[in-house]
Amino acid sequence: MKIGTIKIFILILIFIGCKNKTTESEQLNTKQTSELEKEIESETKTQVDSTEMNSESTKKMFDFLSAKYSKVYEYKGMDSRQLIGITFISKDSIDYYLSSETMPCDTEYYGKAFNKNYGTDSEIDVDDNGYGYDTDEYSNDQKEYVIYIRVALDSTKVKIKYIDNATGGTDCAPITDVIMKKIK
């Protein structure tokens, strides 16, 4: 009888020991889960603060454009930014670099654009207050797309127009029909 009682006692100790190990395992699992939640939370904060990183990249892009182009224009939206650097090569052509940061992707376009209507009447655009202003329209015709850069005659503002010849999509297109204001 003593041997049976000892066996039962040992089984109870083993059962209690296993239960404590499970509890330690659960505690470790809970600790790992909370650490993972903190890590995910910090990653989420980083993603939310990614506009700060975009701000740095915009500053670098502005520095690049300022060094290479005589005029720089900018548009800032709630979740988008666009910069364009322009240098007038001649009366009917410009060199440009357009950088757009939008969701779901960032795009860059650059090259030479030509005013096919040089010497004729200028185009007319309307500003945010509803007033018309004269513009010259320069275009860069590519197989995949056409970019129209409409520069105010006084060079204070620019509008972009874009046609996607390849897919007809607009997800990764530059920001169009907004006034970009001169910042350099």
Side-chain angles (χ1 to χ4, degrees):
M1 186 81 177
K2 287 185 179 183
I3 294 179
T5 306
I6 293 176
K7 286 182 181 180
I8 292 175
F9 182 69
I10 291 175
L11 286 173
I12 291 173
L13 286 176
I14 291 173
F15 178 74
I16 292 172
C18 287
K19 188 173 182 181
N20 285 342
K21 285 183 183 178
T22 303
T23 304
E24 288 172 15
S25 171
E26 288 172 356
Q27 288 173 353
L28 181 60
N29 211 3
T30 303
K31 183 179 177 184
Q32 288 173 341
T33 302
S34 69
E35 288 175 3
L36 184 60
E37 286 172 353
K38 287 178 186 176
E39 187 176 319
I40 289 170
E41 187 176 303
S42 70
E43 285 179 14
T44 304
K45 286 180 183 174
T46 302
Q47 290 173 358
V48 169
D49 294 341
S50 67
T51 53
E52 293 301 320
M53 290 172 44
N54 288 343
S55 178
E56 281 182 35
S57 68
T58 301
K59 170 81 170 102
K60 288 178 184 176
M61 181 56 71
F62 172 75
D63 292 343
F64 165 75
L65 294 174
S66 292
K68 186 169 178 174
Y69 297 92
S70 61
K71 298 180 186 328
V72 179
Y73 301 85
E74 176 183 46
Y75 166 77
K76 284 185 188 178
M78 289 293 293
D79 58 353
S80 59
R81 289 187 176 123
Q82 184 162 270
L83 290 167
I84 186 169
I86 295 175
T87 297
F88 290 87
I89 300 171
S90 66
K91 293 180 181 180
D92 67 343
S93 62
I94 60 171
D95 186 25
Y96 74 94
Y97 193 104
L98 175 65
S99 171
S100 300
E101 295 178 9
T102 59
M103 294 304 283
C105 55
D106 300 342
T107 56
E108 295 177 343
Y109 301 89
Y110 52 89
K112 294 187 179 7
F114 300 92
N115 183 345
K116 295 179 182 175
N117 299 320
Y118 177 72
T120 64
D121 289 339
S122 60
E123 302 285 330
I124 296 184
D125 274 341
V126 178
D127 67 13
D128 295 334
N129 298 321
Y131 296 109
Y133 62 94
D134 293 330
T135 65
D136 280 330
E137 182 176 81
Y138 299 85
S139 65
N140 182 355
D141 301 345
Q142 298 295 316
K143 183 178 179 182
E144 300 86 17
Y145 61 86
V146 179
I147 290 185
Y148 297 97
I149 303 166
R150 297 173 66 99
V151 182
L153 292 184
D154 64 0
S155 297
T156 58
K157 48 193 160 255
V158 168
K159 270 191 182 180
I160 304 297
K161 300 220 180 257
Y162 177 84
I163 298 172
D164 186 341
N165 293 332
T167 64
T170 57
D171 283 349
C172 294
I175 303 163
T176 60
D177 295 321
V178 296
I179 295 177
M180 299 177 67
K181 297 190 175 151
K182 185 176 177 183
I183 56 175
K184 176 199 168 210

